[in-house]
Structure formats: C-alpha cells, structure tokens
Amino acid sequence: MGRVKVNLTLDAEVAQTARALGLNMSRLAEAAISAATKAERNRLWREENRANIAAYAEEVARDGLPLTPYRSF
C-alpha cells in the first residue's frame, strides 16, 4: 500500500526541536500511530474474547495444561 498525506497539529516547540535534530517527523508519527493502533487492536481483541480467555484459564486451573503428561522437561 502506498503513502498518503495527512495533516497533523504539533506543539511548535516539539516540531522546532525535531527539525533542529534532523528527525523525520513523518516516520516518527507513523511509527507512533502504528504502535498505538496495534495496542488498541490487541486491547479490543482481549475485550471481545474475555469470556473465552477466562473459560480457558479456569479449565487450565482445574485440569492443568493439556498434554502435560507427555512433556519431557
């Protein structure tokens, strides 16, 4: 997928310092947005699957891990 132009509003001092340091603000913003997107996607997945995760945790607590008798360590 290609790149698209977007408008962002930044604190003037932050932008000035980033320019002075030669930082690529577009790449930094992209990395931060990507990380935030991944974190939110993971949070939503955990929320949507909370009941299943709890049920599995309960099963493991009650019965132990599957295939435990066959572990060699």
Side-chain angles (χ1 to χ4, degrees), residues 8-22:
L8 296 173
T9 302
L10 301 175
D11 178 79
E13 188 176 331
V14 171
Q16 183 180 19
T17 303
R19 278 193 196 101
L21 294 171

Side-chain angles (χ1 to χ4, degrees), residues 7 22 28-29 32 55 57 59:
N7 291 322
L28 289 170
E59 180 181 326

Side-chain angles (χ1 to χ4, degrees), residues 22-48:
L23 299 176
N24 185 328
M25 287 185 276
S26 292
R27 297 293 176 165
L28 289 170
E30 180 178 12
I33 293 167
S34 180
T37 300
K38 182 179 178 179
E40 182 62 10
R41 223 184 268 137
N42 289 339
R43 186 192 70 75
L44 289 172
W45 184 89
R46 284 190 309 274
E47 186 177 305
E48 291 168 4

